[in-house]
Amino acid sequence: MLDKAILEVDGKKYEFPVLIGTENEVAIDISKLRGVTNGVITIDTGFKNTGSCSSKITFLDGEKGILRHRGYAIEDLTKKANFLEVAFLVIFGELPTKFELKKFEDDIKSYSLVNEEMKGIVEGFPKSAHPMGMLSSLTSALTAFNPRRVDVNCKDDMYNAVVKILGKFPVLATWAHRRNNGLPLNYSDNSLGYIENIMQLMFKIPTEDYKMNPIAVKALDELLILHEDHEQNCSTSTVRIVGSSGAGLFASISAGVSALWGPLHGGANQAVLEMLEKIQNDGGDVDKFIAKAKDKNDPFRLMGFGHRVYKNFDPRARIIKKAADELFADLNLNDPVLSIAKHLEEVALKDEYFAERKLYPNVDFYSGIIYRALGIPVEMFTVMFAIGRLPGWIAQWKEMRKNGEPIGRPRQLYTGEALRPFKSFEER
Ligand code: SDX
């Protein structure tokens, strides 16, 4: 039975316990390593081989292309549940009853009004500000209007913090778009569902009624479900480590928004669309861009391709690709960029460079094409990712706090100068 691992250092053997996960993943617990070896540590830049925690929220298998939330397959959740139902599952651990879901929806709506003074902060940004920078700042500013720390061990206190941020976040997220486009800042419409409300927050203009398109709402609901959680990705790990210092939920989520913004992470959905438009404007020669992506002297990467964990297909990319086809058929749309994306995928997957490195389309490869079809501007794509990922950030922060995990503080290997005498100006 696999219950221990033995490490030999400088001729001495040390035993460490082995932990076995639900799906038989194996982890060596090295939490006592430095103490028993008198200072030896491990190094794993980028944490490609290092687990930061145990978690009950999401399981993914990168080799088999499996993604589950609390044991439910993502394929089932996107087909049979809606965004808030999955958010409830991810955050509280079980699918809600009809009563629980209705109460959850109503409680979120009761917090959907944002303090009017927040508008002053929005007005303070230049129109050139990127919506993700605005969203991170506005989320952090929520702390000023909700200063009391969440007691994660008080069920009601935690529940109220959850419904509060779920109620306010989409308003703040869409205000960035409205501000930058000279449009009035919309309020939530509590007569609508969560996703419908996001659509009206983004697009409703005061001079006309907003015509809701149920096909678009269904596509956005499915797309946001696919973003809800993804175990210890960069932004979620950020939320956990910021929260581990005792920082509040809103401040931790603000940090997660900033981490998601990067083009190697959530910012990739915007970078994918910009890349596809570049290929289109360059005449649609995908081979030229595949060659650039393979050229080590060229910093260009195929955005939306590759993944730290999925070394086979990203199940979300498959679902999104199918959803894009359905949406385009339903809306009778034809976007040449979708054809370019499919052609690019086809050529890349046949290319040895991508096959050898197990580079497949990830969640960001097709999502931007759907956002664009829904009329969402490209600079708002990553904001939509953040709206989708919010339940996961909340769930992971809550789990970390309830587990009483210590402050995250990695060690390092110092490779700088040894001790040396101070130099006066004359000696420098
Ligand atoms: C998300 O972690 C999550 O779960 C993230 C996410 C979530 O839901 O939270 O799934 C969301 O962030 C998806 C990923 C979005 N990012 C992109 O699409 C950006 C493009 N992809 C890459 O930059 C890259 O694939 C990463 C960042 C996603 C993963 O990088 P890794 O795991 O650190 O892999 P690597 O950079 O070490 O690459 C391994 C090899 C290298 O070549 P060699 O040095 O072995 O010759 O693959 C190459 C890389 O150059 N490579 C690529 C490539 N991705 C990796 N080459 C060309 N184009 C690419 N996209």
Side-chain angles (χ1 to χ4, degrees), residues 118-341:
M118 288 285 280
K119 289 187 173 179
I121 303 171
V122 175
E123 297 307 328
F125 286 99
K127 283 202 174 4
S128 57
H130 192 288
M132 282 297 277
M134 289 173 74
L135 180 57
S136 178
S137 309
L138 292 170
T139 307
S140 188
L142 273 181
T143 309
F145 295 91
N146 304 273
R148 211 173 55 73
R149 279 193 188 293
V150 180
D151 174 0
V152 71
N153 294 310
C154 167
K155 205 163 166 236
D156 289 348
D157 207 25
M158 188 69 232
Y159 179 84
N160 287 330
V162 168
V163 292
K164 189 178 285 186
I165 185 81
L166 281 167
K168 298 181 188 301
F169 197 76
V171 181
L172 301 176
T174 52
W175 275 5
H177 162 68
R178 305 288 293 187
R179 165 80 173 79
N180 289 357
N181 292 276
L183 295 167
L185 306 182
N186 278 334
Y187 293 97
S188 277
D189 176 345
N190 285 347
S191 70
L192 298 174
Y194 198 77
I195 303 297
E196 288 89 343
N197 184 46
I198 291 169
M199 297 294 272
Q200 74 85 18
L201 281 165
M202 275 290 289
F203 301 116
K204 184 174 184 319
I205 50 175
T207 48
E208 294 161 20
D209 286 339
Y210 177 66
K211 196 172 171 337
M212 198 65 69
N213 180 332
I215 295 169
V217 168
K218 179 179 172 294
L220 184 58
D221 187 273
E222 184 174 4
L223 197 47
L224 294 185
I225 288 173
L226 289 166
H227 286 79
E228 291 210 37
D229 189 60
H230 212 241
E231 55 138 273
Q232 305 312 314
N233 60 84
C234 178
S235 55
T236 299
S237 299
T238 302
V239 169
R240 283 183 86 120
I241 202 164
V242 167
S244 73
S245 74
L249 176 60
F250 299 166
S252 305
I253 286 169
S254 167
V257 173
S258 296
L260 187 73
W261 191 0
L264 295 185
H265 189 16
N269 56 18
Q270 174 174 346
V272 167
L273 226 295
E274 288 163 352
M275 171 187 75
L276 294 172
E277 286 176 336
K278 198 170 171 191
I279 296 173
Q280 181 186 27
N281 299 335
D282 185 76
D285 178 3
V286 295
D287 294 319
K288 178 178 161 186
F289 287 85
I290 296 255
K292 279 171 66 68
K294 291 159 59 175
D295 178 357
K296 288 301 167 202
N297 300 317
D298 189 328
F300 176 80
R301 282 199 161 184
L302 215 47
M303 300 316 278
F305 253 75
H307 198 275
R308 171 60 53 78
V309 177
Y310 289 124
K311 298 307 175 192
N312 197 327
F313 62 91
D314 179 336
R316 301 168 297 174
R318 278 196 167 169
I319 296 170
I320 293 173
K321 182 178 175 182
K322 187 166 166 290
D325 282 335
E326 287 165 2
L327 179 69
F328 279 63
D330 292 344
L331 298 181
N332 196 21
L333 285 176
N334 173 30
D335 182 347
V337 151
L338 178 58
S339 322
I340 291 176

Side-chain angles (χ1 to χ4, degrees), residues 22 52-59 68-71 89-93 150-153 158 162 229-233 236-237 239-241 243-244 249 252-253 390-406:
T22 307
S52 58
C53 62
S54 298
S55 178
K56 297 179 186 303
I57 300 168
T58 290
F59 169 71
R68 296 183 200 139
H69 295 313
R70 305 284 188 181
L89 168 71
V90 161
I91 295 167
F92 300 110
V150 180
D151 174 0
V152 71
N153 294 310
M158 188 69 232
V162 168
D229 189 60
H230 212 241
E231 55 138 273
Q232 305 312 314
N233 60 84
T236 299
S237 299
V239 169
R240 283 183 86 120
I241 202 164
S244 73
L249 176 60
S252 305
I253 286 169
L390 180 61
W393 286 334
I394 296 168
Q396 299 270 351
W397 184 92
K398 175 170 169 279
E399 180 179 73
M400 175 275 302
R401 275 288 178 79
K402 281 193 81 69
N403 288 348
E405 291 178 14

